[in-house]
Amino acid sequence: MTRRDKIFKLAKGYFGRAKNCIKISRRRVEKGLQHAYRSRRLKKRQARELFVLQISAGAVEQRMNYSTLIHGLRLSRVGVDRKILSQLAQNEPYSFRAICDLAKGALANKMLRLPNGSGSAFPDEPSSATSGSSAAGAEGASQSSSRSVGTMHSKDGPNADFIRKTVKDATDELSRRFDARLKISEA
């Protein structure tokens, strides 16, 4: 197949002399290939924009914004990509709510994180934040709990029981506030 035939084959279906005149066909085919190259990348970019828009709409229903949701998912190490998240937001609202709760829990855990780097006052205990805690309500309680925990130097110090109780009360208060907000928003 000659070079001329390849160009005419690519120009098949073009309007006017662009399909049968080699000079015009060559220019139109080259321009068409440039558009095709660029559009293969634009297609991916536009698909991602659509995924982000759909995830954002689902996140707003869960009282979050997109950036907070993605940050929470990274903290909780959820490896779901944006395409799947957008499908869940559209078709599986309960699954998407569970993923949002994971993100909220990770964000609340980050807000309650103590100076030793763990989410708990004591290294052998599990994280003190519940998955139903919200990041917005966590700020007020985290300040009081981190102050009392920061004063203790060992697990069995003189204030150990008081500190355990303070951390537990703070997390219970956070989950109670979050449940109250959900009931108000559902009403």
Side-chain angles (χ1 to χ4, degrees), residues 93-106:
Y94 294 111
S95 301
F96 189 74
R97 175 184 274 181
I99 289 177
C100 287
D101 289 343
L102 280 174
K104 287 176 185 176

Side-chain angles (χ1 to χ4, degrees), residues 83-98:
K83 178 181 177 183
I84 302 300
L85 277 174
S86 72
Q87 290 174 355
L88 287 175
Q90 283 184 324
N91 304 324
E92 298 286 335
Y94 294 111
S95 301
F96 189 74
R97 175 184 274 181

Side-chain angles (χ1 to χ4, degrees), residues 112 138-150 162 166-167 169-170:
L112 289 174
E139 290 179 24
S142 69
Q143 292 173 352
S144 64
S145 66
S146 65
R147 267 191 232 121
S148 61
V149 173
F162 172 74
T166 304
V167 170
D169 289 346

Side-chain angles (χ1 to χ4, degrees), residues 48 51 55 66 69-89 95-96 98-100 102:
R48 184 181 169 109
F51 297 153
I55 294 167
Y66 173 79
L69 173 65
I70 295 299
H71 181 61
L73 291 177
R74 291 220 174 137
L75 288 175
S76 62
R77 297 182 185 201
V78 173
V80 180
D81 63 356
R82 285 168 177 79
K83 178 181 177 183
I84 302 300
L85 277 174
S86 72
Q87 290 174 355
L88 287 175
S95 301
F96 189 74
I99 289 177
C100 287
L102 280 174

Side-chain angles (χ1 to χ4, degrees), residues 39-55:
S39 295
R40 282 193 296 270
R41 279 130 192 91
L42 278 176
K43 181 179 175 183
K44 295 171 182 70
R45 189 181 312 160
Q46 290 169 348
R48 184 181 169 109
E49 287 175 5
L50 181 64
F51 297 153
V52 168
L53 190 67
Q54 291 166 347
I55 294 167

Side-chain angles (χ1 to χ4, degrees), residues 63 104 112 130 132-144 169-185:
R63 305 273 186 209
K104 287 176 185 176
L112 289 174
T130 60
S133 299
S134 72
E139 290 179 24
S142 69
Q143 292 173 352
S144 64
D169 289 346
T171 55
D172 290 345
E173 177 66 19
L174 285 174
S175 61
R176 188 187 60 75
R177 285 182 191 172
F178 181 72
D179 292 340
R181 284 186 194 158
L182 280 179
K183 288 178 185 175
I184 291 171
S185 67

